[in-house]
Amino acid sequence: AGGPDSVAPKLLDKLSFLGHTVPGSRGVALSVCVALLSRINFRLTNQIFKDQIAYLLTLLNTGLLVPNQVRTCWLDDCVEAFIRTIDGGEGNLVILGAGFDARGYRLRLKERRINTFEVDATGTQHEKKRVLEEVGIDARNVTFVSCDFETQDWEARLEREGMDTS
């Protein structure tokens, strides 16, 4: 897996050039900076990441060199390996702090009998749903589970939203 991401460019293109402030977010300065650089790069190259961003991040010594690309490919491969282990059975994929992760849409998990649960802050999910709707991506195959990780039990929230833990 880990191939081209057809969903992320649509989402990225609909976000404000200067970024959105998500209610309830804390300590977002570096994230906003990286997101802004990524948006500028996307506008210039029509690609999510290009070598000049990796090079710039290397110069900034942020430790963010290529992890976004590597993490996406690695996690996609992990999901594919998980699907192979259940050999056609039904399974659950839980994405904690899902943000704008597009895995549940790109990998067509529902048609492969995988229930996808995205757990994140209410404000983040509200914004993601808005953008998904705006770009015409059907989000009905993903269950959004709102959770404040500091004050709520995310496992209990998952069960309340219908995840079968058996």
Side-chain angles (χ1 to χ4, degrees), residues 127-147:
E127 183 63 13
K128 183 175 185 175
K129 288 177 191 177
R130 183 192 69 75
V131 174
L132 287 170
E133 185 177 329
E134 191 174 319
V135 298
I137 295 173
D138 184 2
R140 289 178 294 175
N141 291 334
V142 172
T143 302
F144 291 92
V145 180
S146 294
C147 182

Side-chain angles (χ1 to χ4, degrees), residues 5-153:
D5 186 339
S6 61
V7 176
K10 293 177 185 176
L11 298 178
L12 190 58
D13 192 48
K14 289 298 176 184
L15 294 174
S16 163
F17 190 71
L18 297 176
H20 285 131
T21 302
V22 176
S25 298
R26 296 185 199 116
V28 297
L30 180 59
S31 296
V32 169
C33 179
V34 170
L36 179 60
L37 288 173
S38 297
R39 287 185 189 107
I40 291 169
N41 182 68
F42 177 71
R43 303 262 189 253
L44 294 174
T45 66
N46 203 30
Q47 294 182 20
I48 297 300
F49 286 99
K50 193 104 166 131
D51 287 344
Q52 70 266 22
I53 290 294
Y55 178 72
L56 178 61
L57 291 174
T58 304
L59 292 177
L60 295 173
N61 196 22
T62 62
L64 298 173
L65 175 57
V66 191
N68 286 324
Q69 293 168 308
V70 172
R71 182 184 67 176
T72 297
C73 293
W74 181 77
L75 286 172
D76 285 354
D77 289 346
C78 288
V79 170
E80 294 294 340
F82 166 68
I83 292 170
R84 284 192 301 276
T85 65
I86 60 173
D87 195 28
E90 189 171 331
N92 295 315
L93 173 66
V94 176
I95 305 172
L96 297 175
F100 277 79
D101 187 294
R103 197 161 280 105
Y105 316 97
R106 283 188 298 107
L107 301 179
R108 299 185 324 264
L109 298 172
K110 189 64 173 182
E111 61 193 56
R112 297 163 77 189
R113 302 186 64 199
I114 304 299
N115 302 308
T116 304
F117 295 86
E118 293 189 358
V119 184
D120 212 333
T122 303
T124 303
Q125 289 186 334
H126 175 74
E127 183 63 13
K128 183 175 185 175
K129 288 177 191 177
R130 183 192 69 75
V131 174
L132 287 170
E133 185 177 329
E134 191 174 319
V135 298
I137 295 173
D138 184 2
R140 289 178 294 175
N141 291 334
V142 172
T143 302
F144 291 92
V145 180
S146 294
C147 182
D148 179 341
F149 291 105
E150 291 181 18
T151 62
Q152 295 176 314
D153 179 347

